Amino acid sequence: MTTELLFRGDAYLRSATARVLAVSERGIELDRTVFYPQGGGQAGDSGKLLRAPGEAVAIIDTRKGETPGAACPCAREPGVTAR
């Protein structure tokens, strides 16, 4: 699946609502994201994801996903699962 890369339309966008599509060792794949992935010498974005109940998941890095157009924010804690 592809991720809607919101930063392409607005590089200063700081938040958006998204759905979790998958969680793996690589990271958390979202249907849309403001997190810019690592590439071309630029570090991947960090920040936090807020779950629906308000619980925060720390994001330490963002990498390109397995498929073209996908970006995967990487959680600080290994084994984070979607709820």
Side-chain angles (χ1 to χ4, degrees):
M1 292 201 123
T2 60
T3 302
E4 183 181 0
L5 306 175
L6 300 173
F7 53 80
R8 297 243 166 118
D10 182 351
Y12 297 99
L13 191 61
R14 297 181 53 90
S15 65
T17 301
R19 285 184 305 118
V20 173
L21 300 176
V23 178
S24 69
E25 301 81 37
R26 285 184 63 104
I28 303 166
E29 189 171 349
L30 305 170
D31 67 335
R32 55 201 316 245
T33 187
V34 297
F35 290 97
Y36 192 89
Q38 173 186 356
Q42 180 173 327
D45 283 349
S46 61
K48 64 182 174 183
L49 292 178
L50 293 178
R51 292 181 173 162
E55 178 185 352
V57 175
I59 300 300
I60 59 167
D61 194 11
T62 303
R63 301 292 174 104
K64 292 180 181 175
E66 301 255 342
T67 59
C72 291
C74 304
R76 179 177 305 278
E77 308 95 22
V80 168
T81 58
R83 292 186 206 170

